[in-house]
Amino acid sequence: MRDNELLKILAIQHPIVQGPMAGGPSTPELVAAVSNAGGLGSLGAAYLTPDQITDAIRRIRALTSRPFNVNLFAGGWTTRQDFDAGPMLEVLSEVHEKLGLPAPVAPTPVPDPFPAQLAAVLDARPSIFSFTFGIPDRDAMSRLKARGITILGTATTVNEARQLEQAGVDAIVAQGLEAGAHRGTFLDSFESSMVPMVDLVRASAAAVSLPLIATGGLMDGHDIVSAMQAGASAAQLGTAFLACPESGASEVYKQTILAAKEDTTVVTRAFSGRPARGLRNAFIEQLEGRQDLILPYPLQNALTRSMRTAAAQQGFADYLSLWAGQGVARASAMPAGDLVASLLI
């Protein structure tokens, strides 16, 4: 694969970025394995406490001397109190009973963890910091730059790409509609921001002067070549790395991903309150046509956490958020370093 300016900015060998995958899959072992193979490993730190972020970064540094990325959610946090959790609690009560859990309890709004998480990132000073769901404020961006940290922001539309450029990021992750997990949309409606990856990359390349990292349904070297032909300088893959032995995804999650013979993914708010792409299952179907019951993010996410944790432990895929991109049917299980090598065509 050709050399390009972005590889110099990131100080990596190959134009391959492992998607951050917050919530467990992106372990220090996975991050380090990808970075050691010449790509860019990424720690999805959005659900970690500041101390956990510090510890994870320390563990990554013990496993690699190469650059790696730390990712946080910068926006989309709701502290609203004007919600009625009653109907959602009724739905979850049935599931909790099946899983042998105590009755669910309405979540309490809590402050956005981003400022404290960012402080931990600034103290640890990783080579690269990325964010999604919004844009950090000017002060945060200035502090990141003052520490010499390369900054990547996520866009789902050309307008978002333009705003990221104006905010001073070093490169833009262009998230196509095919991408697994949460949508990074922060400007317009989620519905109007569902742009195919190739179209988004082409339009963004014409609108901004920054390097683009394409993401959305990419699974192999041919996908990466297509993304780069559209104007990307690198590709970010998440689902492709989910089943790697270094991934922290639960065993039932990995097996469900590997068993997928076709794309059955849908974009749903059922698990977290924010639109995210994952494999259709019983819980998603249970809430279809009942979207008004779903609490806003992160309240729904907090409310379903016990269910998701128990489902992972007990092997019930129907009550797990099985985040995956549209290329899921091509997932395979191999060590992360071998996967990076297989992507080089």
Side-chain angles (χ1 to χ4, degrees), residues 265-287:
T265 64
V266 292
V267 176
T268 181
R269 291 174 50 242
F271 289 100
S272 74
R274 184 182 178 94
R277 183 178 294 282
L279 294 172
R280 179 188 292 276
N281 61 8
F283 190 68
I284 291 173
E285 291 171 358
Q286 197 170 350
L287 287 173

Side-chain angles (χ1 to χ4, degrees), residues 270-333:
F271 289 100
S272 74
R274 184 182 178 94
R277 183 178 294 282
L279 294 172
R280 179 188 292 276
N281 61 8
F283 190 68
I284 291 173
E285 291 171 358
Q286 197 170 350
L287 287 173
E288 283 178 346
R290 308 168 76 189
Q291 283 85 355
D292 55 322
L293 306 188
I294 300 172
L295 304 186
Y297 178 89
L299 299 171
Q300 182 77 3
N301 198 60
L303 187 55
T304 65
R305 184 171 289 118
S306 294
M307 173 188 75
R308 290 180 282 117
T309 300
Q313 292 169 346
Q314 297 177 32
F316 285 117
D318 270 333
Y319 302 112
L320 269 180
S321 47
L322 301 165
W323 302 145
Q326 288 191 335
V328 63
R330 292 182 285 143
S332 59

